[in-house]
Amino acid sequence: MKQLLFFIPVILLITSCGQKVIFEKKEKINGLWLYNNTIKFEYTITDTTKAYDLILQVEHSSSFSYENLYVNTTTIFPDTSKLTTALSLQLADDSGSWLGKCGSDRCSTEIYLSSSAYFKKSGIYVLIFEQHSRKDSLEGISALTVRVAESQI
């Protein structure tokens, strides 16, 4: 019995220590995501001594036509310099099974854009997403959520 009383507080302590989220925002996409429709997130980093995870959550229909979502991302740093990167975000495996959690007609996939990353400067960061698929209008993506959380390394 004494062992059980010891483990209960330990288990509660472990399960209560989740990631500390410093930013989270969801942007809905109504209907079609056009090339010229950018999705923008602004977040502030104040502590450059901590490592952070940058997580993108993609919500899409279960009838989305592709295994990947192609996007261009632009990061604008506090000193106004920019970095643009093309990304292929995998939403399904090679057999066509969705990687995220799916309900009846919606799926949600979390993708780590950065894990245990350090920011060089404090200040405002801007992250911009542009769809970059083979079509100028993309159906089936309903929302993007960006979350910045302190890493648990």
Side-chain angles (χ1 to χ4, degrees):
M1 183 68 172
K2 288 182 181 180
Q3 290 176 335
L4 181 62
L5 292 176
F6 171 76
F7 283 111
I8 289 174
V10 171
I11 291 170
L12 289 174
L13 180 65
I14 290 170
T15 58
S16 68
C17 295
Q19 281 186 311
K20 180 181 176 189
V21 175
I22 65 161
F23 173 83
E24 185 168 14
K25 184 177 180 187
K26 179 178 186 174
E27 289 289 339
K28 292 184 179 182
I29 301 167
N30 296 320
L32 299 174
W33 189 6
L34 305 174
Y35 271 136
N36 59 353
N37 290 355
T38 61
I39 301 174
K40 179 176 158 183
F41 299 92
E42 275 189 30
Y43 56 94
T44 303
I45 298 296
T46 56
D47 189 347
T48 59
T49 64
K50 293 181 180 175
Y52 297 92
D53 295 331
L54 181 60
I55 304 154
L56 174 66
Q57 182 176 333
V58 179
E59 294 179 33
H60 61 90
S61 71
S62 58
S63 60
F64 186 62
S65 300
Y66 306 100
E67 291 179 0
N68 294 4
L69 171 62
Y70 293 95
V71 295
N72 282 333
T73 62
T74 301
T75 303
I76 304 173
F77 300 93
D79 65 0
T80 70
S81 63
K82 295 180 183 182
L83 175 65
T84 300
T85 307
L87 297 176
S88 173
L89 306 172
Q90 189 156 358
L91 303 178
D93 63 19
D94 292 336
S95 67
S97 298
W98 297 118
L99 297 174
K101 296 177 184 175
C102 294
S104 60
D105 66 340
R106 293 275 169 224
C107 296
S108 179
T109 305
E110 278 194 356
I111 300 166
Y112 276 69
L113 299 175
S114 297
S115 182
S116 301
Y118 289 88
F119 289 87
K120 291 182 181 180
K121 295 183 180 184
S122 61
I124 297 172
Y125 286 78
V126 179
L127 185 57
I128 301 169
F129 291 90
E130 301 169 276
Q131 74 94 348
H132 194 68
S133 67
R134 290 173 241 161
K135 294 183 170 188
D136 63 347
S137 58
L138 188 61
E139 284 185 82
I141 303 295
S142 56
L144 297 182
T145 302
V146 168
R147 185 170 61 247
V148 181
E150 290 181 10
S151 184
Q152 295 182 319
I153 56 170

